[in-house]
Structure formats: structure tokens, C-alpha cells
Amino acid sequence: MKITNLPKKTWQKIYDFQILFCLLAEVLLMVSGLHNATKTKNQVTAIILLVLFLALTVYVQKMKVKDKFTYEFTRWLNLLFGPGILCTFWLKIGNLLLVHLPQIEIIWVLLLWAVLLGLLLPIAMVYAAQIKNWFLRLLIVFLLNIQYGLVNTLKVSRSLKIMHSLTGQGVIAAISLFILACFLGKAWGFRFNPNLKFNKSQNFQQVTFVLLILFTLLDLFYNCFNAYSKDIWTVFFRYDFNNLKFSLPNLTCAIEPGILEEAVRYLNIIILLAGFNHLPKWRVPIAIYGSTLLFGLAHLGNVGWHGATLSATIMQAIGVTGCGFLWAVLYLYTGKLWPAIVAHFISDFVANMLTGWNSSGWHWHGYATDYIYTILIVGVPLLFSIWMMFGKARQVMEENADRIMNVN
């Protein structure tokens, strides 16, 4: 995937225009009286904050402030609040257009999608691209990621079933984040590519590759159907596929994490590889197990989502780490992100069709079957990933790590 970045000054001008446009639009909305008194009061507050926000940003640019504290303060002020401002404004304008001009709703939705795909690129290129510290980079990925949750409440009519589902289930937001990850990875000097060109390595072994794919498929199948029964024999040989219930929300709800979570997790892998590149014996293990830990912890935010209980969410966070070990190894051994995206999608899609949502099937009663089940979905993939840490399999991952980071 070829990514062409614009000069920083160009990104800065685009971002300044975004903030200025938000400011002018807020003023026009307040003057037009489209909102009630409460919302008008909130608009006054928003206008004041936008003026201060824009003034500080322009001051740092035009006055060429060299004071490090002022510049860093401005950088993190923008990174902390800028994405939320832009996404909130996008949502506000979008809902006004959809509510007041429903005659051309399809056109509005398409235009809003197009804007969202590049909405946060300018702020990321201006304020995040120069960050070199690996921990701060992880923080930036988190800050940019959480803002996309706002856009899922865009009021697309249910009569536009596909558009409504793609927007409401976060698929468009996921694609937006994936694009952002590609640009940000390029700006940091990495080769973030979902389909890294295959280079024949003398360490590459067909047997290892076949075992990796086979184990991935077996693990995927068990994870898909264990909500029906944790018994291995039942899962693999006695499952009634008539229990699967297809729906459009089940499909789009699985596409979203397949794209978004994999983009975030593998951007985390790249950051950790670079951050610990000075420890050649440890960078690959740190990248695999560190990104998996972050991947699991991220699922703790699912509490309450679609009725997920705390215990189910904790069990889910633990359970998905098995997939994290395996899919991280799959990425680094093949150099290709799309196999993990497909595996993630299939896992969530089947779980959605089986249980209605992929967290509801997770539970813990303390029975012997629960312990065996946890060993199967977490312990076995962990052991497999440890096995991949040695010999020629490790050498292939090291070579791909160098290529991803543009080393040599």
C-alpha cells in the first residue's frame, strides 16, 4: 500500500481550516435559532472554547514560539480535545442535514462518509507524526481511536438498511481509523502495509506455515462455536448449524472489529517493535505479548454494551488474549494483516449469529469445564506462540519486523 503524505504545513492549513469552519458553523447555528435555549447556551460555550483553541494554535504557528512547554502544551491540548471536537461537530452537522433535508439523504450520507474517512488525518499529521516515544505513541493511538465511537450515533434512516447498519455498527469509523493508521505509520517511518510483499526467505518453512494456518483454523472454529458447547467433541462434530441466525447487524457488527481492532493492535505491534528495537532478543516477544495485553484490556470497555455483564466482559478480555497471541504471530510470520482481519471477522460473525452479540457467550461458573475451556482458548495458543519464538520461525518474524520498520 503506497501512502503519500502531504507536507506538514499543508496538513496544518487543513487543520486550521477545520477548526475555523467549526467555529463559523457554530456561530451560524446559534444565529439561525435551530436549537433550543439549552443547546444555544452550550453553543456559546463551544464558541468560546473554539476561539481560545484556535487562537492558541495560530499563536504558536505565526509567532513561531520556541518555548518547548508552550508548544507541547498546545500539542497535547489538540490531541486530547481536537479529535473529539471534530467528530462531535461532524456528528452535529450530519444530523442536522439528515433531519432537515431528508429528500437527499443518500447523498448526505455518502458525503459524510467521505469527510469522515479523512477527518482526523490533519491533526494526526500535525501533532502526532513527530512523536518518537513508544509509550506516547500508544497513548496517541488510544486517544484517536476512542473518538470514533461518537460517530456511530449519526441519525441515518432505518429505511436505508445497509447505510444505517454500516454507520451505526461503526464500519465506516473502522475504515477511517485504518486509513489513519496507514498514514500515521508512514509518518513514523514504518511500513504499515496490510499485504506486505512476500520475500522468499531461506528461513521460511512450508511446514511451519501450514501448521500455523491449520492451528489458526482449529482455534477459530473452537472460538466460534464454544458458546454453544465447551465440549470439544460437540463443537467439532455435533454442532447444529441451523442454530445460526443471519442478520445485517450481525454482519456489520463483525466487520467493524475485524478492521478497527486489528488496525489498532498491529499499529501497537509496530510501535512496540520500534520502541524496543535496541533489544533485538526481546523486541518480537514484547511486540506480540504487549500488543496482546493491550488487545485484551481494550475489551474491558464492553461492559454494558449490548447488555454485557461485568463477569462476561472480564471473561471475554481474558479469552480473546488467546486469539491475540495467535493473530500477532500470524501477522509477523506472513507479513500480511488481512489473514488476521478475516479470522477476527469470522470469529465475531459466527458468535454474533449464535448468541446475538459476541460477549454474551462468555461466562464463568468455576466448573472443571470452564478451566479446561480457558486452557484451550488461552493456554494452547500461548504455548503455540512460544514455540514460534524459536528456530527458523523466529528468524522469519525478525526479518519481517525489519521490513515493517524499514530497517536496511
Side-chain angles (χ1 to χ4, degrees), residues 116-164:
L116 182 63
L117 293 180
L119 185 64
L120 300 187
L121 284 178
I123 189 172
M125 294 301 101
V126 172
Y127 293 109
Q130 296 77 33
I131 299 293
K132 298 184 182 301
N133 180 274
W134 66 270
F135 179 79
L136 294 180
R137 284 176 172 176
L138 292 177
L139 178 60
I140 288 169
V141 172
F142 171 76
L143 292 174
L144 294 174
N145 177 23
I146 61 174
Q147 302 302 335
Y148 283 109
L150 297 170
V151 306
N152 296 353
T153 56
L154 188 69
K155 297 178 181 178
V156 180
S157 173
R158 290 184 179 274
S159 61
L160 303 175
K161 293 182 180 180
I162 296 178
M163 286 185 161
H164 175 82

Side-chain angles (χ1 to χ4, degrees), residues 220-362:
L220 177 62
F221 195 93
Y222 185 71
N223 273 282
C224 285
F225 296 106
N226 60 44
Y228 174 75
S229 173
K230 292 180 171 59
D231 179 70
I232 298 178
W233 182 262
T234 302
V235 169
F236 284 98
F237 302 106
R238 292 182 180 176
Y239 182 76
D240 183 4
F241 289 91
N242 293 322
N243 291 324
L244 297 176
K245 298 178 180 179
F246 173 81
S247 70
L248 181 60
N250 283 344
L251 175 64
T252 52
C253 189
I255 294 175
E256 182 267 345
I259 297 175
L260 184 143
E261 292 182 14
E262 296 309 303
V264 170
R265 187 149 61 92
Y266 295 116
L267 190 52
N268 289 342
I269 284 178
I270 294 171
I271 292 171
L272 292 171
L273 282 175
F276 293 90
N277 194 44
H278 61 288
L279 301 173
K281 293 183 179 180
W282 296 101
R283 61 171 187 170
V284 167
I286 289 175
I288 290 175
Y289 299 115
S291 65
T292 298
L293 177 62
L294 294 173
F295 176 62
L297 291 175
H299 286 77
L300 293 176
N302 290 337
V303 177
W305 184 256
H306 289 252
T309 63
L310 177 61
S311 60
T313 304
I314 293 175
M315 190 58 196
Q316 184 192 29
I318 295 173
V320 298
T321 57
C323 298
F325 299 136
L326 191 57
W327 295 342
V329 168
L330 182 63
Y331 170 59
L332 283 179
Y333 192 79
T334 63
K336 300 178 184 298
L337 186 55
W338 63 263
I341 292 177
V342 172
H344 196 151
F345 159 73
I346 294 175
S347 178
D348 282 11
F349 184 41
V350 174
N352 290 346
M353 289 193 293
L354 182 63
T355 65
W357 191 65
N358 60 5
S359 182
S360 57
W362 299 92

Side-chain angles (χ1 to χ4, degrees), residues 61-218:
Q61 295 172 54
K62 302 301 181 182
M63 301 305 293
K64 297 183 179 181
V65 175
K66 296 182 180 180
D67 178 58
K68 185 175 181 180
F69 174 81
T70 304
Y71 181 79
E72 291 300 323
F73 176 79
T74 305
R75 179 204 300 278
W76 288 102
L77 183 70
N78 278 274
L79 288 174
L80 284 170
F81 301 105
I85 290 173
L86 295 177
C87 288
T88 301
F89 179 78
W90 177 90
L91 181 63
K92 179 187 295 185
I93 294 298
N95 284 334
L96 283 173
L97 292 173
L98 295 176
V99 170
H100 294 284
L101 296 170
Q103 301 85 352
I104 52 175
E105 183 178 13
I106 293 179
I107 296 177
W108 290 133
V109 174
L110 292 175
L111 288 174
L112 288 166
W113 283 1
V115 171
L116 182 63
L117 293 180
L119 185 64
L120 300 187
L121 284 178
I123 189 172
M125 294 301 101
V126 172
Y127 293 109
Q130 296 77 33
I131 299 293
K132 298 184 182 301
N133 180 274
W134 66 270
F135 179 79
L136 294 180
R137 284 176 172 176
L138 292 177
L139 178 60
I140 288 169
V141 172
F142 171 76
L143 292 174
L144 294 174
N145 177 23
I146 61 174
Q147 302 302 335
Y148 283 109
L150 297 170
V151 306
N152 296 353
T153 56
L154 188 69
K155 297 178 181 178
V156 180
S157 173
R158 290 184 179 274
S159 61
L160 303 175
K161 293 182 180 180
I162 296 178
M163 286 185 161
H164 175 82
S165 191
L166 288 174
T167 306
Q169 297 293 353
V171 176
I172 305 303
I175 296 173
S176 302
L177 180 63
F178 187 89
I179 293 173
L180 177 62
C182 291
F183 273 86
L184 198 54
K186 175 71 173 180
W188 283 337
F190 307 143
R191 186 182 294 168
F192 186 89
N193 194 318
N195 194 37
L196 194 65
K197 184 178 179 181
F198 178 74
N199 281 355
K200 185 64 176 179
S201 167
Q202 62 179 358
N203 294 307
F204 187 86
Q205 294 179 307
Q206 291 291 345
V207 174
T208 301
F209 177 70
V210 171
L211 286 175
L212 176 59
I213 297 300
L214 180 61
F215 190 83
T216 299
L217 293 175
L218 290 173

